[in-house]
């Protein structure tokens, strides 16, 4: 037997027992007469004690052990004289009588400690060593626990976990596909799924009623910060449901996870229409951990000779409570912030509502105290508050103000990662105009159903932008953690949708023929949703990065720096696939 116990297991109750442990040498301390070693495995750390007097050769051997050596020890559990209350095994130690080196180890390139001295790249290159560290290992343990809770919750509610293919047909809608050449069909390619969308809908046509899958998805997008080319979704689909049924089911799942993982109980999650989210927060994923909702003052500010405001479609601002004392420097920094290309505003107007009731603003030339008071009243600002205003085309300005609101939230410490603010955003637009290609795209995907009352608008191209969808997102702390929709199950409506998206009958049939065919054989009304599982884990842990919750992630350039992929393949492989690489 390699071990009788794990390194996280032994307590005072075990004192007197002879046990065998195996694990890695975390660190050793040599105190002359005694040598102490911290032995680590996944479960914890146990202190080993070697006594020079009792067994000098053994003690000498222990002194020579390097960090990360794999060893096996046998000894007696004894009570420690100086206890360590920081670890669960801190009351005991093992008085070692036998030591067996199972494997030597090179000195690791960084310290295997909670605060490692290794930089990101180095730790990614040696990810298997990184995972030995508590924080990374605990993230993976947490991920497993979440996955188990999800599986059990859904299985208890009659969802079946069904696997769908990884090699599928490429579709032009959505993000860019990763493609896989087919050797047996030269010149033809599979795509890796961006999501199992069409298959889960087919499973509904197949009568499976409730499906889920914790499934890898692939999107070949330009990598923005904290995106992974492969990521995991909790993908779900249900038959014979209304939107209300879907929201309740998955709100239930989210609440269950919060209760089990964090001991937090929620009332009903708030709901907001997409339109209100954009109007009040400038975002379809508002961070509701703090208020600072948008106040529109277009009417109040016009007619005072300030050309910029007078000519703007929208003048809108936020109130930073108690910030009237912001210094010139702080305000300049905020102006610089909104002028950064990522935000793109032309500038920012501030109005200080001083504690004594007076005003100081960057537009004093145009607005007297009375006019500034009218703005303050419209914005519901109080003495001591700071108002920050942006202006321009409505949607663009809202999005810019959203960035400023989040920045103020950060500055004022209002975005506590241990505080959780869930939200459903509902009634998304069905279609989204793209200036570049001069056509509408499905905002969610082409299978999303319009709201029945908006369906007639499909016949009027001038109104396409107004059509609302039965589509919903679940948002947590300003991040979209999931989304889905009621699907179109009617072939005629689906055809109309394809036409709206610029497909001809032929091109729709070529792309989606199998789904369309399936819909002629009795498709039930159905709907679904997918959670981004990596993101959900990171939010539950109050962490920023999803990478920390993926065992072997890619770096920001989409590379696996450990295995060095992607990598060229051999000329014979290319030949077999009949792929010619153009040489520059
Ligand atoms: N397939 C969708 C997505 O990946 C989710 C859904 O509609 O169920 O976002």
């Amino acid at each position: 037997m390699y071990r009788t116990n794990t390194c996280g297991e032994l307590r005072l109750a075990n004192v007197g027992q002879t046990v065998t442990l195996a694990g890695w040498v975390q660190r050793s301390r040599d105190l002359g007469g005694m040598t102490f070693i911290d032995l680590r495995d996944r479960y914890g750390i146990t202190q080993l004690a070697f006594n020079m007097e009792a067994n000098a050769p053994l003690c000498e051997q222990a002194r020579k052990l390097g960090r990360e050596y794999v060893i096996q020890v046998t000894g007696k559990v004894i009570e420690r004289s100086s206890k360590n209350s920081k670890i669960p095994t801190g009351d005991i130690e093992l008085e070692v009588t036998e030591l067996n080196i199972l494997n030597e180890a090179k000195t690791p390139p960084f310290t295997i400690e909670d605060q490692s001295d290794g930089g990101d790249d180095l730790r990614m290159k040696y990810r298997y060593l990184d995972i030995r560290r508590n924080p990374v290992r605990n993230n993976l343990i947490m991920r497993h626990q979440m996955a188990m809770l999800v599986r059990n919750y859904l299985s208890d509610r009659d969802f079946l976990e069904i696997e769908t293919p990884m090699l599928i047909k490429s579709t032009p809608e959505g993000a860019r596909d990763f493609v896989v050449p087919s050797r047996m069909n030269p010149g033809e390619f599979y795509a890796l799924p961006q999501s199992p969308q069409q298959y889960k809908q087919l499973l509904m046509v197949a009568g499976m009623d409730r499906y889920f899958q914790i499934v890898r998805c692939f999107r070949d997008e330009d990598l923005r910060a904290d995106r992974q080319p492969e990521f995991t979704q909790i993908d779900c689909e249900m038959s014979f449901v209304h939107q209300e049924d879907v929201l309740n089911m998955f709100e239930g799942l989210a609440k269950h996870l919060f209760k089990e993982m964090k001991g937090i109980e929620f009332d009903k999650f708030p709901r907001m229409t997409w339109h209100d989210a954009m109007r009040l927060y400038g975002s379809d994923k508002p961070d509701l951990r703090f208020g600072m909702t948008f106040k529109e003052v277009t009417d109040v500010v016009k007619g005072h000779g300030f050309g910029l405001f007078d000519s703007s479609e929208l003048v809108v601002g936020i109130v930073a409570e108690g910030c009237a004392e912001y210094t010139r420097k702080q305000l300049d920094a905020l102006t610089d912030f909104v002028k950064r290309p990522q935000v793109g505003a032309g500038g920012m107007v501030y109005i200080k509502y001083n504690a004594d009731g007076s005003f100081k603003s960057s537009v004093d030339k145009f607005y007297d105290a009375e006019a500034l008071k009218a703005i303050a009243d419209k914005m519901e600002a109080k003495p001591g508050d700071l108002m920050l205003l942006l202006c321009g085309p409505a949607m663009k300005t809202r999005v810019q103000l959203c960035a400023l609101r989040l920045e103020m939230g950060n500055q004022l410490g209002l975005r506590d990662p241990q505080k959780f603010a869930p939200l459903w955003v509902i009634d998304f637009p069905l279609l989204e105009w793209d200036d570049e290609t001069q056509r509408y795209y499905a905002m969610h995907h082409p299978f999303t159903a319009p709201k029945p009352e908006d369906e007639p608008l499909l016949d009027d191209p001038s109104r396409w932008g107004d059509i609302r969808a039965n589509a919903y997102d679940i948002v947590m702390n300003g991040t979209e953690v999931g989304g889905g929709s009621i699907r179109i199950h009617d072939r005629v409506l689906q055809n109309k949708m394809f036409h709206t998206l610029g497909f001809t009958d032929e091109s729709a049939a070529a792309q989606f023929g199998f789904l369309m065919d399936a819909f002629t054989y009795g498709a039930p009304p159905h709907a679904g949703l997918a959670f981004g599982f990596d993101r959900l884990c990171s939010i539950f842990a109050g962490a920023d990065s999803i990478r920390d919750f993926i065992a072997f992630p890619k770096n920001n350039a989409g590379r696996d720096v450990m295995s060095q992929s992607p990598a060229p393949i051999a000329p014979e492989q290319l030949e077999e696939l009949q792929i010619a690489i153009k040489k520059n």
Side-chain angles (χ1 to χ4, degrees):
M1 190 157 41
Y2 263 115
R3 57 181 176 190
T4 56
N5 296 83
T6 69
C7 296
E9 222 181 321
L10 299 170
R11 302 284 186 276
L12 276 179
N14 302 98
V15 165
Q17 292 173 6
T18 297
V19 300
T20 301
L21 302 181
W24 288 261
V25 173
Q26 169 88 16
R27 83 171 71 84
S28 62
R29 288 178 306 286
D30 190 1
L31 304 180
M34 294 289 289
T35 292
F36 294 103
I37 285 178
D38 285 347
L39 189 68
R40 182 195 68 236
D41 66 10
R42 194 185 103 195
Y43 307 93
I45 283 187
T46 299
Q47 176 162 295
L48 311 179
F50 298 83
N51 191 331
M52 198 59 151
E53 242 170 68
N55 191 340
L58 192 67
C59 198
E60 291 293 349
Q61 202 192 351
R63 279 179 187 176
K64 293 202 197 93
L65 295 173
R67 268 163 50 206
E68 301 306 312
Y69 271 45
V70 188
I71 62 170
Q72 181 190 40
V73 289
T74 300
K76 199 156 84 183
V77 183
I78 59 171
E79 185 171 358
R80 273 208 224 180
S81 49
S82 65
K83 301 199 167 42
N84 178 356
S85 59
K86 289 205 195 89
I87 56 172
T89 61
D91 288 344
I92 57 97
E93 64 191 7
L94 198 66
E95 196 176 49
V96 179
T97 49
E98 261 178 73
L99 166 64
N100 185 10
I101 298 176
L102 299 176
N103 214 338
E104 297 183 352
K106 287 207 286 191
T107 305
F110 50 85
T111 54
I112 313 291
E113 303 280 349
D114 290 6
Q115 297 292 335
S116 173
D117 60 359
D120 245 21
D121 289 348
L122 196 61
R123 287 191 290 107
M124 284 301 154
K125 181 151 182 237
Y126 298 93
R127 183 63 163 175
Y128 45 90
L129 297 179
D130 201 25
I131 295 173
R132 288 187 192 168
R133 298 167 55 237
N134 289 320
V136 187
R137 185 190 55 232
N138 289 342
N139 285 346
L140 297 182
I141 293 172
M142 181 198 137
R143 184 185 174 109
H144 162 80
Q145 288 166 342
M146 299 260 287
M148 290 307 287
L149 287 169
V150 168
R151 283 210 162 85
N152 290 333
Y153 184 91
L154 292 174
S155 179
D156 286 348
R157 283 155 188 80
D158 290 328
F159 284 80
L160 300 175
E161 185 163 23
I162 301 174
E163 289 168 277
T164 52
M166 284 285 129
L167 297 173
I168 67 169
K169 187 184 169 105
S170 180
T171 54
E173 292 297 285
R176 206 177 287 114
D177 285 327
F178 278 102
V179 294
V180 180
S182 164
R183 179 184 55 82
M184 291 198 286
N185 304 279
E188 296 191 319
F189 297 81
Y190 304 101
L192 300 178
Q194 297 184 26
S195 92
Q197 186 61 36
Q198 293 173 55
Y199 287 96
K200 67 175 172 176
Q201 292 193 237
L202 290 171
L203 286 170
M204 296 303 105
V205 180
M208 296 313 281
D209 199 63
R210 290 179 171 198
Y211 142 96
F212 85 102
Q213 187 179 192
I214 299 184
V215 61
R216 194 69 53 81
C217 301
F218 305 84
R219 291 183 194 171
D220 186 7
E221 291 171 304
D222 292 332
L223 293 161
R224 278 182 267 152
D226 208 32
R227 284 269 184 116
Q228 287 284 320
E230 48 178 307
F231 58 95
T232 303
Q233 285 193 345
I234 306 166
D235 192 47
C236 310
E237 197 75 10
M238 308 168 77
S239 290
F240 305 112
V241 284
H242 296 293
Q243 175 160 309
E244 198 57 35
D245 304 312
V246 182
L247 299 194
N248 287 335
M249 175 63 69
F250 296 105
E251 182 168 322
L253 171 60
K255 283 180 179 165
H256 179 66
L257 291 174
F258 270 111
K259 184 151 172 259
E260 297 297 319
M261 297 296 299
K262 312 221 57 105
I264 301 175
E265 300 206 35
F266 281 102
D267 289 338
K268 211 169 156 46
F269 289 0
R271 294 183 189 181
M272 196 182 290
T273 64
W274 177 88
H275 197 267
D276 281 347
M278 293 309 295
R279 189 171 56 82
L280 296 171
Y281 298 92
S283 165
D284 58 5
K285 37 181 184 292
D287 186 345
L288 294 197
R289 281 173 298 182
F290 67 108
M292 227 185 261
T293 49
F294 291 5
K295 310 285 182 194
E296 299 187 1
V297 292
T298 320
D299 298 344
V300 200
V301 297
K302 290 213 175 189
H304 288 262
F306 182 38
L308 202 57
F309 277 0
D310 284 346
S311 64
S312 286
E313 184 190 356
L314 178 71
V315 183
V316 59
I318 50 173
V319 178
E321 277 178 41
C323 292
E325 312 231 312
Y326 257 43
T327 61
R328 184 73 220 209
K329 208 169 139 206
Q330 283 172 301
L331 291 166
D332 286 348
L334 287 177
T335 305
D336 289 344
F337 173 84
V338 298
K339 283 172 135 177
R340 296 185 326 169
Q342 300 94 310
V343 182
M348 181 192 84
V349 167
Y350 71 81
I351 305 171
K352 291 176 170 187
Y353 194 167
N354 296 316
D356 63 6
S358 67
F359 290 94
K360 171 85 193 88
S361 82
S362 54
V363 286
D364 281 351
K365 238 192 324 183
F366 304 101
Y367 299 89
D368 59 14
E370 193 185 332
L372 293 173
K373 176 78 168 58
I375 299 173
D377 286 347
K378 184 83 197 269
M379 293 183 75
E380 295 170 47
K382 303 177 307 304
D385 291 349
L386 172 68
M387 290 161 265
L388 303 172
L389 302 165
L390 301 182
C391 65
M395 268 307 171
K396 222 167 126 188
T397 306
R398 289 186 178 119
V399 172
Q400 293 163 350
L401 190 61
C402 170
L404 181 62
R405 173 179 176 269
L406 293 177
E407 171 62 18
M408 288 308 292
N410 286 338
Q411 288 194 11
L412 300 173
L414 301 173
R415 305 181 74 196
D416 177 357
Q418 295 306 333
K419 196 173 148 188
F420 297 95
L423 168 72
W424 285 108
V425 176
I426 56 172
D427 297 357
F428 272 76
L430 182 71
L431 301 164
E432 191 174 27
W433 177 255
D434 179 55
D435 265 337
E436 205 173 299
T437 48
Q438 291 286 306
R439 57 162 270 208
Y440 279 101
Y441 282 83
M443 197 157 195
H444 190 51
H445 48 57
F447 317 109
T448 293
K451 281 195 163 298
E453 59 269 37
D454 289 0
E455 233 180 88
L457 300 182
L458 275 172
D459 296 324
D460 177 0
S462 73
R463 299 292 308 279
W464 283 354
D466 299 330
I467 305 174
R468 291 166 304 160
N470 264 329
Y472 33 79
D473 272 0
I474 183 163
V475 174
M476 201 83 69
N477 295 0
T479 300
E480 177 205 328
V481 291
S485 60
I486 304 284
R487 322 302 185 189
I488 299 169
H489 65 278
D490 172 68
R491 195 195 148 104
V492 177
L493 180 58
Q494 185 66 70
N495 258 336
K496 210 179 217 175
M497 182 68 182
F498 283 141
H499 285 153
T500 308
L501 296 172
F503 285 89
T504 59
D505 283 345
E506 293 72 37
S507 62
Q511 283 307 322
F512 305 109
F514 63 106
L515 189 67
M516 298 313 295
D517 273 353
F519 279 12
T520 60
Y521 290 98
H526 60 289
L529 168 144
F531 286 96
F533 186 49
D534 316 284
R535 174 64 60 206
L536 200 63
C537 291
S538 76
I539 289 191
F540 266 69
D544 294 330
S545 167
I546 64 168
R547 270 214 272 170
D548 299 340
F549 298 83
I550 297 173
F552 298 103
K554 309 270 188 289
N555 74 4
N556 281 345
R559 298 198 70 85
D560 176 345
V561 292
M562 187 180 64
S563 71
Q564 297 292 358
S565 81
I569 56 173
E572 307 81 72
Q573 274 176 297
L574 285 172
E575 209 169 295
E576 213 169 42
L577 296 166
Q578 302 200 27
I579 293 178
I581 302 269
K582 219 158 89 198
K583 297 238 161 55
N584 291 327

